[in-house]
Amino acid sequence: MGRVAAGKTTLTQALKGEQIHYCKTQYINYTDTIIDTPGEYTEVARLGAALALYAYEADIVGLVISANEPFCVFPPNCTCLVNREVVGIVTGVDKPDGNPEQATRWLKLCGCEKIFYVSSYTGEGLSDIIDYLNQP
């Protein structure tokens, strides 16, 4: 979950080993291993209920914030609203205008204890997420 342009779909493509290409997520893409949600569902309160429903379909929920985000859309302590493990994911750590430290502070305020740092384009950090998700 994350706002528009946070890198959710690009991360999904990278984790699945697909060629990265721009693809605007128009609806919830539910595959066998990943649920990719549109950013609008995070930004528009009326659509937030869909995120709550799909969070219950997941084993682990990921809050995604790009390293160059100007603000955080997630409220403090929002992870307590989900009865699943919630991890933080900072995308775009290779962006020259990125500030991964700020994104980390925001994710910690949300309640994320485990935070991953990734670049879907360079592959940095992808193996960390894959290894974590493959643990029994």
Side-chain angles (χ1 to χ4, degrees):
M1 299 176 189
R3 70 184 214 102
V4 172
K8 300 174 303 296
T9 300
T10 304
L11 176 61
T12 297
Q13 292 170 354
L15 288 171
K16 293 168 75 176
E18 298 175 354
Q19 181 179 355
I20 295 175
H21 63 282
Y22 177 77
C23 178
K24 172 66 182 114
T25 304
Q26 297 291 324
Y27 51 87
I28 293 180
N29 293 319
Y30 190 104
T31 66
D32 57 340
T33 56
I34 298 175
I35 303 170
D36 185 13
T37 60
E40 291 83 1
Y41 283 41
T42 304
E43 296 178 18
V44 179
R46 294 182 315 235
L47 302 173
L51 292 177
L53 290 174
Y54 276 93
Y56 293 109
E57 296 290 324
D59 294 324
I60 298 174
V61 174
L63 298 184
V64 180
I65 298 179
S66 178
N68 67 349
E69 290 284 352
F71 57 87
C72 179
V73 295
F74 301 113
N77 298 315
C78 64
T79 59
C80 68
L81 300 174
V82 180
N83 68 351
R84 304 285 186 266
E85 178 181 4
V86 180
V87 298
I89 303 171
V90 178
T91 57
V93 295
D94 57 329
K95 293 180 178 180
D97 63 337
N99 186 349
E101 296 82 17
Q102 178 63 60
T104 299
R105 284 191 291 276
W106 287 331
L107 288 167
K108 286 183 177 180
L109 281 172
C110 291
C112 296
E113 295 179 11
K114 180 70 176 167
I115 300 174
F116 296 95
Y117 303 90
V118 299
S119 167
S120 297
Y121 290 96
T122 68
E124 179 182 344
L126 292 176
S127 62
D128 296 334
I129 293 177
I130 292 168
D131 291 347
Y132 190 78
L133 294 175
N134 286 329
Q135 291 180 10

